[in-house]
Amino acid sequence: MVVVIRWWRDLKKNLMKNKKIRLAALDGLRGIAILLVIFNHIPLKIWYESTPVMIHMCLDFLLVNGKVGVSILFLLTGFLMAWLYPRPKSKIAFWSRRYARLFPAFLVMVASLTIIKINGNLNILEQILVVLGVGMVARIIWGLVLKIGKKIPI
């Protein structure tokens, strides 16, 4: 018990000095959550055909908890955003940063899914290549926009 108290006191001291410290416990929890999500996306038929019968009960427990993994990831993301990012000057500054970070990925997916829907009969490999291609083109365009934006005085 004394060891735990000392560990906690040292951790608090280090965290107060440096907020960028890496929390190994959160890394482990994030790893478990990611595994739960990945396991949940693998079809049950594949799991049952490739594992011994005695593991099936354990698999049922793990695979039903994929949604819990997603919830844990959202919770950790919110905590880490609050912990590591500097406090925004205003709500508008916060939302503009979030928008600038998320909107390009959203546009890539919308453009990719539109191309896939228009073509209609693409196999899975071609669909993946469309998403990757649109992502690379968007990355190049976004980089150019940022370079041009820095040169234009506002």
Side-chain angles (χ1 to χ4, degrees), residues 40-61:
N40 193 22
H41 282 83
I42 299 173
L44 281 174
K45 183 179 179 185
I46 293 173
W47 280 113
Y48 286 137
E49 290 175 353
S50 60
T51 57
V53 176
M54 60 187 144
I55 297 179
H56 290 178
M57 233 172 73
C58 185
L59 279 175
D60 290 339
F61 175 75

Side-chain angles (χ1 to χ4, degrees), residues 27-82:
D27 288 342
L29 187 58
R30 188 173 12 180
I32 291 169
I34 289 169
L35 286 176
L36 287 172
V37 173
I38 290 172
F39 288 165
N40 193 22
H41 282 83
I42 299 173
L44 281 174
K45 183 179 179 185
I46 293 173
W47 280 113
Y48 286 137
E49 290 175 353
S50 60
T51 57
V53 176
M54 60 187 144
I55 297 179
H56 290 178
M57 233 172 73
C58 185
L59 279 175
D60 290 339
F61 175 75
L62 285 174
L63 298 178
V64 199
N65 291 314
K67 292 176 184 171
V68 173
V70 172
S71 298
I72 292 171
L73 285 173
F74 279 137
L75 183 77
L76 284 174
T77 300
F79 172 77
L80 291 173
M81 281 177 56

